[in-house]
Amino acid sequence: MGHAYKPRKNSFFNQHFTSTVSIVLVLFMVGLIAFLLAFANEIAQYTKEHVTLSIVLSDDAAEADVARLERYVSACDFAKRYEYISKEQALQEHIDGLGEDPTELLGYNPLRASIEVYLQADYACADSIEVIRQKLRPFQGIDDFVYQKDMIQLLNHNVNRVAIALSIIALILLFISVALINNTIRISVYSQRFLINTMKLVGARPGFIRKPFMRRAAGNSVLAAVLALAILGGALYYVQNEVGTLLNLYQWRIVLPVVVAVFAVSFVIVMFSTWFAVNRYLRMKTDDLFYV
């Protein structure tokens, strides 16, 4: 006598395990790209907020004029913060940076006091800085404005290029994720096509037949998202330990969008894929099930 066919439970478990692992790996990649997008935006924001506009003060600037200028800058929406640099402080920074003391050669301090304005990220571009300059020109005691125009243009150009590149990668990965998860779900439901047909033949309504599949899909989507985030969290923990305090990866404005994105992608794709896969076999005739 031939060997009896083993129960389908092990086969179903293996298939369920394989499909879950596949979804987890896809969601991990989705989470990784989402994190890179959020982190790149954070880095761009941080870099732009360290762009400075130096308001160089004349040597004969009155204290009242300087104080008036400081009050104006502190109240403006373009300034994240500002710092007053005295002539003595500017000289010391020059000596620390270049190792030369110009007073030894000239006999006096040629450097001037300035107000270093750290701009808000939205104002860190050449056009906005030019508008700011025009607003500040009427103030007394200002000798010149200094900022690194070429660096700012290069910064904004590179930020835009990185954002576009990551967005394209994210869209491609999302398309691949939909295709892979949908295919995984269809294979999983395929093994249950005769069960679906049997329930249909005994008079079960489509909603009743779909219910256990949709319930299982909801649970799988949550489980896959949690596992994917756990793997991503482990990877971030390793990277954070490697970079130390140089970068802080554990920021809610970075982590929270990633968590939401992974759960949303998991739930939406898994649920819709399951819905369409079950409906496909609900519409099929019994004879057609043998040829799919």
Side-chain angles (χ1 to χ4, degrees):
M1 294 181 63
H3 294 288
Y5 180 71
K6 296 291 184 182
R8 291 165 53 88
K9 182 180 292 186
N10 290 337
S11 175
F12 175 76
F13 173 80
N14 291 335
Q15 191 176 66
H16 176 71
F17 176 79
T18 302
S19 65
T20 301
V21 170
S22 301
I23 295 172
V24 168
L25 294 178
V26 172
L27 291 177
F28 170 75
M29 295 303 300
V30 170
L32 184 60
I33 292 298
F35 178 83
L36 291 177
L37 277 171
F39 189 68
N41 181 67
E42 185 71 15
I43 291 294
Q45 189 88 355
Y46 175 84
T47 305
K48 288 182 177 182
E49 289 178 351
H50 281 73
V51 171
T52 59
L53 170 64
S54 297
I55 306 173
V56 182
L57 304 174
S58 57
D59 288 335
D60 58 352
E63 290 186 7
D65 293 334
V66 176
R68 187 180 303 111
L69 179 58
E70 287 187 272
R71 287 195 299 270
Y72 177 80
V73 169
S74 64
C76 286
D77 55 359
F78 61 76
K80 183 175 180 64
R81 62 186 177 90
Y82 75 94
E83 182 181 358
Y84 174 77
I85 307 293
S86 65
K87 289 173 63 69
E88 293 74 18
Q89 186 177 349
L91 176 62
Q92 187 59 49
E93 290 180 356
H94 179 86
I95 295 173
D96 294 340
L98 300 179
E100 298 178 354
D101 186 352
T103 61
E104 295 179 355
L105 178 63
L106 302 175
Y108 67 94
N109 181 4
L111 301 177
R112 298 182 181 181
S114 64
I115 297 176
E116 300 291 323
V117 182
Y118 291 83
L119 302 173
Q120 295 282 4
D122 294 338
Y123 292 88
C125 61
D127 293 340
S128 297
I129 292 177
E130 186 58 36
V131 172
I132 295 171
R133 290 176 61 185
Q134 296 303 322
K135 289 181 179 180
L136 295 175
R137 283 192 184 280
F139 284 87
Q140 298 295 320
I142 296 178
D143 185 68
D144 196 9
F145 298 93
V146 178
Y147 69 97
Q148 295 176 305
K149 183 176 181 180
D150 292 340
M151 187 202 74
I152 293 173
Q153 291 177 338
L154 182 62
L155 170 64
N156 285 292
H157 178 67
N158 288 338
V159 166
N160 291 335
R161 289 179 62 183
V162 171
I164 291 173
L166 286 177
S167 297
I168 292 174
I169 293 173
L171 289 176
I172 294 174
L173 183 61
L174 184 60
F175 175 79
I176 295 174
S177 301
V178 171
L180 289 177
I181 294 178
N182 181 63
N183 187 59
T184 301
I185 296 298
R186 288 182 62 180
I187 292 175
S188 178
V189 176
Y190 172 82
S191 63
Q192 304 293 309
R193 66 191 187 282
F194 289 109
L195 174 62
I196 294 173
N197 184 69
T198 300
M199 296 175 70
K200 183 176 67 173
L201 292 177
V202 298
R205 294 180 177 274
F208 179 82
I209 298 174
R210 280 193 297 264
K211 188 175 180 179
F213 289 93
M214 299 305 294
R215 186 186 297 115
R216 186 182 302 119
N220 288 347
S221 68
V222 173
L223 176 62
V226 170
L227 292 176
L229 289 172
I231 298 173
L232 182 60
L236 294 182
Y237 178 78
Y238 173 79
V239 173
Q240 183 67 72
N241 285 342
E242 289 296 314
V243 300
T245 58
L246 182 63
L247 293 173
N248 180 20
L249 303 179
Y250 302 131
Q251 300 182 49
W252 276 112
R253 54 185 175 182
I254 297 178
V255 174
L256 187 58
V258 174
V259 173
V260 172
V262 171
F263 271 103
V265 169
S266 178
F267 186 80
V268 171
I269 297 179
V270 172
M271 294 297 284
F272 272 92
S273 297
T274 303
W275 175 280
F276 288 116
V278 174
N279 282 351
R280 181 191 181 197
Y281 296 115
L282 283 174
R283 292 191 298 267
M284 277 189 179
K285 296 180 180 179
T286 302
D287 292 341
D288 295 334
L289 295 176
F290 294 93
Y291 303 100
V292 293

